[in-house]
Amino acid sequence: MTDRQGSRRRGQGELEALVLSALREADGPASAGWVQERLGGDLAYTTVVTILTRLLAKGVVTRERSGRSFAWTPASDQAGLAAHKMRKVLDGRSDREAVLASFVTSLEPDDERLLRELLDQAKGERKH
């Protein structure tokens, strides 16, 4: 997709990933203006705020009041974000068993072994 000047337009998911990546580079909570500058200023400030607000609604970032605006922070690390996406996909399906069965059967042997170990570990922790 291109705009009238011929530059490629980025999709919503790509923009969210860029904003989240910039936010992860911050030493702490960051303003939307900081994120905009970190991305080279090619996104409008309002676009950055819109993307951050979408990420907030998805539970991917948190915000705290900072003067008259907000400071934004990633809600979790990469592993936590991937786990959140996996749960969201699972929650969106009516046949959870089929989804999980398909996932497990598609795992490489080392990943399957690791998953079994993690499940056993979680089971042991729940007993305590």
Side-chain angles (χ1 to χ4, degrees):
M1 194 181 278
T2 59
D3 62 18
R4 282 181 236 164
Q5 285 79 33
S7 64
R8 191 171 81 70
R9 292 190 64 200
R10 292 173 283 211
Q12 179 178 324
E14 184 180 350
L15 289 174
E16 288 177 358
L18 286 171
V19 167
L20 189 57
S21 177
L23 202 56
R24 283 203 171 95
E25 295 173 10
D27 291 331
S31 69
W34 184 91
V35 172
Q36 180 193 25
E37 288 176 24
R38 189 71 179 184
L39 295 174
D42 62 337
L43 291 179
Y45 176 82
T46 54
T47 301
V48 173
V49 171
T50 298
I51 294 166
L52 287 166
T53 303
R54 282 188 196 138
L55 292 170
L56 179 68
K58 293 178 179 183
V60 177
V61 299
T62 60
R63 70 180 182 187
E64 58 190 54
R65 181 65 69 183
S66 177
R68 291 182 10 212
S69 68
F70 293 100
W72 304 83
T73 307
S76 64
D77 58 10
Q78 291 283 20
L81 182 57
H84 174 76
K85 288 179 181 179
M86 291 167 65
R87 280 191 307 273
K88 191 171 180 180
V89 167
L90 185 60
D91 290 344
R93 304 299 185 263
S94 58
D95 191 350
R96 297 171 72 89
E97 183 176 347
V99 173
L100 288 170
S102 178
F103 175 73
V104 169
T105 59
S106 70
L107 291 174
E108 296 294 323
D110 286 345
D111 290 334
E112 184 178 346
R113 178 192 46 75
L114 177 59
L115 181 58
R116 289 183 191 284
E117 289 173 7
L118 292 169
L119 289 169
D120 288 344
Q121 180 182 350
K123 187 189 298 184
E125 290 173 2
R126 282 193 293 254
K127 288 181 179 178
H128 296 243

